[in-house]
Amino acid sequence: VAGRACPEGASLNGSLPRTVAAVANQGVLTFDLAVPCEVFGYDRSDIVRPWYRFFVVAADPPPLRTNTGFTMDTPYRIEDLERADTIVIPGWSDTETPPSPELISALQSAYERGARLVSICIGTFVLAATGLLDGRTVTTHWRHADQLQQRFPKLKVDPRVLYVEDGRLFTSAGTAAGIDLCLHLVRLDYGYEIANTVARRIVMPPHREGSQAQYIEQPVTPEALGGGVKAACDWALRHLSVDITVKQLAREAAMSPRTFARRFREVMGLTPHDWLLRQRIRLVQRYLESTDDPVELIAEKAGFGSAATLRHHFQERLEVSPLAYRRTFRASRGPGDPRAGRGPAHL
DNA sequence: CGAAACATCCGCCACT
DNA sequence: GTAGTGGCGGATGTTT
């Protein structure tokens, strides 16, 4: 794990707007480019002022033809990157097309003057070409992780995470993980509550971890789980409200505790107890969002021994108290919001 | 909040 | 020799 340094630029001083630029090349992946457009480029000044300034830079002479066949134009060029303090490289056209020398040096000098560099999906290949990622922990789309590691041996490629924050360098896995990463940046800039509100606006589950977490584990698909581990997880999810020990889980998985702990780590990327806690907190979030139950009752229903224990973990992981979480979640449920009313919160 | 009791995790190592 | 298993114990984290 790369340095445990505090997130840099964790909060916005005064009211200077952050300026975010996304870079598109010929053949850019439509969805990946749309991610920063949606998160940063959409005017959200009704949530907080000032919102970001955002523009799209053409790395090739426009018009640019996207990978889905339509063309687009933008007045901004590589030299405009010097005005950005966050630069996003969304899914580049492909892993074979190297960035131009101008783009490389623009990225290098942006980094030197303190800008944050962000990549989505195979955009990591572009950042890697600048040399700035050498020795850093990074990620990319799982299908290209091996290729990235081979081409840039100095990187520490971790294909198991949704995104990685390493100093001012941010990389994310396949397409949709880019949304998580962009929301993470919003959280660094504006705090958890604002990021949460944005997540709700774009109908993303707001269950992400606190800002000190450098790694966000990828949600594993049940199919990817080893047999016994999956059985234990299923069992645990059905019994979340009662006390569960790792020893019991091991029994459900038909393994010794030691082997179970090892298998679990390999498959899930975190320890059994940590996973359990996460599931419980997610359940608590759902209750807070969709009921008026007191925290004591929720603690009981989610398998926490006491409300104090629940508050402790909730605050630590989400950096908000349970009641504050409920308040912001409900206060921002306004007219026009697709989740108005009292629908069940999704997992 | 802190202290004390308790659970978990992980390197180590012996064993199959 | 290699690969996987599982017990042990101390550091670390959790719960009361």
Side-chain angles (χ1 to χ4, degrees), chain A residues 35 38-39 44 179 183 197-205:
Chain A
V35 167
E38 174 67 22
V39 174
R44 302 187 189 282
I179 304 177
L183 288 173
T197 305
V198 175
R200 281 174 24 69
R201 283 284 178 87
I202 63 181
V203 199
M204 272 288 283

Side-chain angles (χ1 to χ4, degrees), chain A residues 220-226 230:
Chain A
V220 270
T221 59
E223 295 75 26
L225 297 180
K230 171 167 166 42

Side-chain angles (χ1 to χ4, degrees), chain A residues 107-319:
Chain A
L107 292 173
Q108 286 165 340
S109 57
Y111 184 75
E112 270 165 40
R113 57 159 220 273
R116 298 182 296 195
L117 301 184
V118 181
S119 74
I120 296 172
C121 197
I122 57 175
T124 305
F125 283 79
V126 174
L127 289 192
T130 65
L132 294 169
L133 298 185
D134 290 354
R136 301 291 191 153
T137 305
V138 303
T139 193
T140 188
H141 192 289
W142 56 270
R143 287 184 65 193
H144 301 284
D146 288 344
Q147 192 188 357
L148 181 69
Q149 184 69 78
Q150 276 164 22
R151 197 177 307 169
F152 303 99
K154 290 179 185 165
L155 310 194
K156 297 175 199 147
V157 180
D158 188 344
R160 294 191 316 173
V161 296
L162 272 185
Y163 60 85
V164 182
E165 168 185 355
D166 192 340
R168 278 181 286 115
L169 298 161
F170 301 76
T171 53
S172 67
T175 306
I179 304 177
D180 292 291
L181 176 52
C182 288
L183 288 173
H184 180 64
L185 292 169
V186 174
R187 190 184 305 119
L188 292 179
D189 293 337
Y190 290 102
Y192 184 85
E193 296 192 7
I194 301 289
N196 211 19
T197 305
V198 175
R200 281 174 24 69
R201 283 284 178 87
I202 63 181
V203 199
M204 272 288 283
H207 69 262
R208 297 300 152 181
E209 302 300 316
S211 59
Q212 84 279 17
Q214 305 235 346
Y215 277 83
I216 306 298
E217 284 78 8
Q218 194 154 26
V220 270
T221 59
E223 295 75 26
L225 297 180
V229 173
K230 171 167 166 42
C233 289
D234 289 345
W235 180 84
L237 289 174
R238 278 183 279 114
H239 297 85
L240 270 191
S241 62
V242 298
D243 205 30
I244 296 174
T245 64
V246 174
K247 213 189 287 178
Q248 283 173 293
L249 287 175
R251 195 168 329 126
E252 290 301 323
M255 296 178 204
S256 75
R258 185 67 184 88
T259 298
F260 175 69
R262 262 200 287 252
R263 281 292 90 73
F264 197 96
R265 251 235 110 138
E266 285 166 15
V267 174
M268 305 288 280
L270 32 56
T271 67
H273 189 256
D274 197 16
W275 176 83
L276 207 49
L277 216 43
R278 251 164 233 234
Q279 302 310 313
R280 293 197 153 126
I281 286 179
R282 289 177 67 174
L283 191 57
V284 167
Q285 286 177 287
R286 288 173 58 205
Y287 284 131
L288 289 170
E289 290 162 18
S290 61
T291 73
D292 285 316
D293 294 347
V295 176
E296 278 75 14
L297 180 57
I298 293 178
E300 197 179 315
K301 290 204 280 188
F304 286 98
S306 72
T309 308
L310 183 161
R311 289 193 185 96
H312 173 81
H313 290 291
F314 200 92
Q315 177 73 47
E316 183 169 283
R317 302 222 170 194
L318 302 182
E319 298 181 339

